[in-house]
Amino acid sequence: GCVLNGKLYPFGETVRTEDCHRCTCSQDLIRCCSLFHTPIGYDRENCKVILNRQTCNYDVVQKSDPSKECTVYARV
């Protein structure tokens, strides 16, 4: 199997990690990819990016009032 974050997973198993990655265990390696898209097109002066671990998505919110979302024009 594969060991990830101190836990053993059998070959062929796919898991979602707490830091929002999907990892697949194979006999050769463990392969992980992110489950989120990084915002790149937003107002960087007035907004900040926060990883929402429940939805595995980045929230872009106003620096002055984090309860208000900012418009995101592009993600990668």
Side-chain angles (χ1 to χ4, degrees):
C2 303
V3 176
L4 179 66
N5 297 327
K7 188 172 178 184
L8 179 64
Y9 296 96
F11 294 132
E13 185 164 338
T14 300
V15 296
R16 179 183 144 184
T17 66
E18 290 180 13
D19 60 348
C20 296
H21 287 81
R22 181 179 55 231
C23 299
T24 302
C25 173
S26 71
Q27 290 184 354
D28 299 330
L29 55 91
I30 189 161
R31 182 172 306 199
C32 299
C33 62
S34 63
L35 294 172
F36 49 85
H37 293 96
T38 304
I40 59 167
Y42 63 95
D43 180 354
R44 293 176 185 266
E45 186 174 322
N46 297 306
C47 302
K48 64 181 178 178
V49 177
I50 302 170
L51 179 60
N52 182 328
R53 292 183 187 272
Q54 290 179 334
T55 64
C56 285
N57 197 12
Y58 280 113
D59 294 332
V60 182
V61 296
Q62 292 181 6
K63 289 178 182 177
S64 61
D65 184 356
S67 68
K68 295 181 180 176
E69 292 186 13
C70 293
T71 300
V72 177
Y73 301 102
R75 294 179 185 257
V76 292

